[in-house]
Amino acid sequence: MADYRQAIGKVLKSEGGYVNDPDDNGGETYKGISRKFWPGWLGWHIIDLIKMKPGFPEKLTGSHELEIKIQLDHEVSAFYCEQFWIKVGGDKIKNQPIADMLIDSAVNEGIVPAVKRAQTIVGVAITGKITPELIAKLNLL
């Protein structure tokens, strides 16, 4: 089966770090997670605790800050796994590049459009929902 860690590593390369751009519709974001659209994400509690420290949002240093960074990275990984990987059936896909493309597409355009595109490509009913038939067809690629 495809490896979530490998897939999310590729996604996070393009998501960046902390940004709070008033011209960005998502507003405050961390590694692609928008506070506006995901206000309940647990990582916001961590960010709120550390963003008043000198040097934020640059690299955190020191042992205490390193522990915080590790916890924040865990929250990012858990978020993408729960909100995207599991919902697109990434854990059932055998082909790593296909799983990588599917989660990247889901993160950037939404789960339903990403699934519909996959359904169109493999020629199954276009429902926007992960089905056993879709997974089987993807696993033939």
Side-chain angles (χ1 to χ4, degrees):
M1 293 299 147
D3 180 1
Y4 169 69
R5 291 171 296 178
Q6 184 175 337
I8 197 58
K10 291 179 180 180
V11 168
L12 292 177
K13 283 183 183 178
S14 62
E15 292 300 336
Y18 177 85
V19 178
N20 194 3
D21 182 352
D23 295 327
D24 183 344
N25 188 35
E28 186 177 24
T29 62
Y30 184 73
K31 295 199 177 190
I33 305 168
S34 165
R35 187 185 290 258
K36 179 179 177 183
F37 299 115
W38 301 99
W41 175 56
L42 294 177
W44 291 121
H45 298 291
I46 298 168
I47 289 173
D48 289 342
L49 290 172
I50 62 173
K51 72 181 179 182
M52 297 308 225
K53 292 185 177 232
F56 182 82
E58 288 76 28
K59 185 178 179 183
L60 298 173
T61 58
S63 61
H64 180 69
E65 288 83 2
L66 182 58
E67 289 174 18
I68 292 171
K69 175 95 170 75
I70 289 168
Q71 182 62 39
L72 190 54
D73 287 348
H74 170 77
E75 295 301 336
V76 168
S77 181
F79 169 82
Y80 281 106
C81 185
E82 293 166 13
Q83 297 301 325
F84 297 97
W85 181 255
I86 292 169
K87 291 180 180 180
V88 299
D91 56 331
K92 297 174 183 150
I93 298 170
K94 294 177 184 177
N95 185 305
Q96 187 70 47
I98 289 173
D100 293 350
M101 286 187 280
L102 190 55
I103 190 174
D104 186 60
S105 182
V107 167
N108 288 297
E109 62 183 316
I111 293 167
V112 171
V115 172
K116 283 183 175 182
R117 180 175 297 117
Q119 290 169 326
T120 300
I121 291 168
V122 300
V124 298
I126 301 171
T127 63
K129 296 179 182 177
I130 293 294
T131 63
E133 181 184 21
L134 174 60
I135 295 296
K137 293 271 188 165
L138 289 173
N139 283 336
L140 291 175
L141 299 177

